[in-house]
Amino acid sequence: MTPKLEFDTQSAEADCFLGQVYGLLDAGMKDQAADFVYDHFHELLSAGDFTSCDAIFRAADPSRLGSSLSRSFLSLTDRDKKQFVARQVFFQRAFHFVQESQDLERATRLFGHLA
Amino acid sequence: MTPQQLRFPGQEITGVAVAIRWTGFCTHSGVLYRHTNGQLFLLHLGGDCDLSHEVFEGNFAWVIPDLLPEEVDEIRNVCRAIARTMPQIHYSFRFDPEAKLDATTLEVISQLAPHGLTCSTFVLAVFNSANVRMIDLKDWQQRPQDEKWYGALWRYMSTNGVDTAHLDQIRDDVKCLRVRPEETAAACLALRGELPADFGFCEPRGQEISRAVRAAFDSTWNRSTRN
């Protein structure tokens, strides 16, 4: 049961983190949201906590994050991308979101090298 | 290059730009960016472990790169992250076109050139950290005056308190390829689809930029000495 409990805790923490990010974005505080994302990912990556990052990738909604912040999620984790399970699926969702909302050329330019 | 592309104080920067000036004996570059609070900040590497983040006072010209808004956002995010951490960055000559600042520690990550950056390659590393590649080094040319310049800088550093272990590490790098500050600024003149810009694009435009900022410096200097 312990792994499940840990997974649940990380999911709850990811939801809490994303709730704060969406809140800042909804309030028009895009830069503050980005700073919060940067600082949070720095903490997780510095601690080698890749499973918490994965929980964020599983729960994050690219259409709520927007193209800039979705790109930040991928940029910040690019160096360690082999450590993640859910990052690739997040990448596909983010790419699809930009392709649908804008176009394929833009999606490729923004995300193509971050797979 | 049209005069509108190299801009001087008084013209608006909404996102990011590469700043360039003539110091009196060399060109110097940095990243200009619009902070959340609306102020324009200059982030630049002035020397060994001498990173500065300051409100822009207008003493640089600049070139605004042709980037997507998301790329501009990301560069601004990287600049603010650097400003919050202010990492110690050594001054070093060898340039790796893939050099970035680490997402967690903001230390320079580069397999080819791990010892540090110049003011010019610091700008390129900031852009790289936002996954925006400005320079293509493939056909970059070695120029004899660059080795002379790096040699003079190394000697200056060796008499101005720079750590001897670091000086030993970079001694042989004086012979490496140099992307001059004005060439980093010149890369910003490329259209989005032309990036990363190569030597053939950057070198002649860099010379034009260098002449323009020298002329601006000379006219300011002449005005201030007359008054």
Side-chain angles (χ1 to χ4, degrees), chain B residues 43-189:
Chain B
L43 188 61
H44 63 120
L45 186 63
D48 190 59
C49 298
D50 184 18
L51 182 64
S52 296
H53 181 252
E54 56 208 17
V55 175
F56 181 53
E57 292 180 340
N59 50 347
F60 281 71
W62 61 84
V63 191
I64 298 174
D66 178 29
L67 301 175
L68 292 173
E70 289 90 342
E71 294 169 323
V72 171
D73 282 346
E74 189 77 21
I75 293 167
R76 291 176 58 248
N77 294 344
V78 169
C79 288
R80 293 197 308 279
I82 293 170
R84 287 196 296 279
T85 313
M86 292 301 283
Q88 292 280 304
I89 298 175
H90 276 298
Y91 198 90
S92 180
F93 311 123
R94 182 172 296 281
F95 174 51
D96 172 3
E98 295 187 8
K100 289 183 178 184
L101 297 163
D102 182 82
T104 51
T105 62
L106 292 170
E107 289 169 352
V108 179
I109 41 171
S110 162
Q111 288 186 329
L112 299 176
H115 301 308
L117 301 164
T118 66
C119 70
S120 174
T121 59
F122 169 73
V123 172
L124 297 171
V126 169
F127 279 58
N128 278 346
S129 305
N131 287 292
V132 175
R133 179 80 69 85
M134 297 299 289
I135 293 278
D136 178 1
L137 211 57
K138 192 161 46 93
D139 297 318
W140 211 263
Q141 289 181 20
Q142 189 99 37
R143 293 159 291 187
Q145 59 268 47
D146 289 337
E147 185 180 338
K148 274 188 194 166
W149 172 247
Y150 275 162
L153 270 183
W154 189 90
R155 287 189 292 279
Y156 174 82
M157 288 164 71
S158 68
T159 54
N160 281 275
V162 174
D163 177 49
T164 47
H166 176 62
L167 287 166
D168 288 344
Q169 282 173 330
I170 66 169
R171 184 192 301 267
D172 292 336
D173 290 348
V174 299
K175 298 186 180 91
C176 69
L177 295 176
R178 180 181 179 216
V179 179
R180 299 173 183 175
E182 58 269 32
E183 290 163 348
T184 289
C188 298
L189 295 168

Side-chain angles (χ1 to χ4, degrees), chain A residues 30-32 34-35 38-39 41-42 45-46 67-68 71-72 75-76 78-79 102 106 109-110 113-114, chain B residues 35-36 67-71 73-74 76-78 80-81 84 100 102-104 109 130-132 192:
Chain A
K30 195 167 125 184
D31 284 354
Q32 288 84 347
D35 291 348
Y38 264 66
D39 289 344
F41 270 101
H42 288 181
L45 294 170
S46 299
S67 48
S68 284
R71 190 172 187 273
S72 295
S75 281
L76 285 167
D78 191 43
R79 190 186 181 197
Q102 300 180 54
R106 197 174 177 109
R109 178 172 169 101
L110 289 176
H113 50 297
L114 291 170
Chain B
H35 200 274
T36 314
L67 301 175
L68 292 173
E70 289 90 342
E71 294 169 323
D73 282 346
E74 189 77 21
R76 291 176 58 248
N77 294 344
V78 169
R80 293 197 308 279
R84 287 196 296 279
K100 289 183 178 184
D102 182 82
T104 51
I109 41 171
N131 287 292
V132 175
R192 200 177 296 161

Side-chain angles (χ1 to χ4, degrees), chain B residues 1-8 11 62-64 189:
Chain B
M1 181 178 62
T2 67
Q4 286 75 27
Q5 286 174 302
L6 181 66
R7 303 177 199 207
F8 291 90
Q11 293 172 289
W62 61 84
V63 191
I64 298 174
L189 295 168

